[in-house]
Amino acid sequence: MNVDDLFLVVILIGGLFVTFFGINFYRYAVIIMSAAGGYMLGQLAFSNVVSDFVGEGVFREMDGSAGYSFVLGVCVIAGAALGFFLYEIMGAIVAGVGGGFMFARLFQAFLGRDMSSILIGAVIGGLIGIVLGIIAVKYERWVLILFTSLCGARIVGYTGAYLLSTTSFAATLAKPCVGFFSRSFPECAIEMAIALELFVVLTILGNVGQRIIRDD
């Protein structure tokens, strides 16, 4: 199992925890959400910035794999630390960022891969995530259940789709939704379809499950 798969499996398990137990363990849910956000940030930071410096300067003794693992580890730990110390605001911030990325992709799928679709989707998704996160913390109960179910399902959808997209039955799993993405994202339509399906199913299951086991 490579570094990516190891991180993704751990984050997937954490996402399931957020989906089904978020209302009872909100602070821990935010830590997991922030760590998952740190993982995504680490991927972006390495691919867009750090990878250009591997083998040079202070990074001259570091190979690409070691550098990737180091950046991911630092970002995940930093994200988890922020979630621990600032859990009252980090939930809304992470949800806003995650919602922005998700809606940007959805808008691209339906409206085309251009900058206007990205910006419109990112703004709408970001606002929804932030507002729902603020309301969830303030009023708790069913809003917090909805919020944590959505956030956990988003994490599991992202990680689960990546892990399942390489399996022999991935195309079968993706059939219900793959048509939505095949035109704009032919190179990753199966992965995106599985992510959407997992997101919808787990949001519903998380809402039902948390209403049953809630202890507030």
Side-chain angles (χ1 to χ4, degrees), residues 105-182:
R105 277 298 184 101
L106 288 174
F107 271 64
Q108 283 183 289
F110 289 101
L111 301 179
R113 297 176 72 167
D114 54 63
M115 187 56 65
S116 61
S117 298
I118 295 174
L119 291 175
I120 294 171
V123 170
I124 292 175
L127 288 175
I128 291 175
I130 292 171
V131 170
L132 185 58
I134 293 172
I135 294 174
V137 172
K138 183 174 182 179
Y139 294 103
E140 297 188 358
R141 297 189 179 277
W142 70 268
V143 187
L144 191 56
I145 289 176
L146 175 62
F147 177 68
T148 52
S149 296
L150 285 167
C151 292
R154 166 74 173 119
I155 294 171
V156 178
Y158 174 82
T159 54
Y162 181 87
L163 295 170
L164 289 171
S165 62
T166 58
T167 62
S168 59
F169 51 85
T172 302
L173 287 176
K175 276 185 178 179
C177 295
V178 72
F180 296 139
F181 305 103
S182 57

Side-chain angles (χ1 to χ4, degrees), residues 40-126:
M40 294 183 66
L41 178 62
Q43 281 193 318
L44 292 173
F46 183 82
S47 61
N48 294 314
V49 180
V50 180
S51 61
D52 294 334
F53 297 99
V54 170
E56 301 179 10
V58 296
F59 299 102
R60 64 181 178 275
E61 301 298 331
M62 182 182 291
D63 61 32
S65 178
Y68 183 63
S69 301
F70 175 77
V71 172
L72 284 186
V74 169
C75 289
V76 168
I77 292 171
L82 287 172
F84 178 80
F85 291 108
L86 303 173
Y87 77 97
E88 291 184 341
I89 63 171
M90 281 302 295
I93 293 173
V94 173
V97 175
F101 275 104
M102 182 177 180
F103 272 68
R105 277 298 184 101
L106 288 174
F107 271 64
Q108 283 183 289
F110 289 101
L111 301 179
R113 297 176 72 167
D114 54 63
M115 187 56 65
S116 61
S117 298
I118 295 174
L119 291 175
I120 294 171
V123 170
I124 292 175

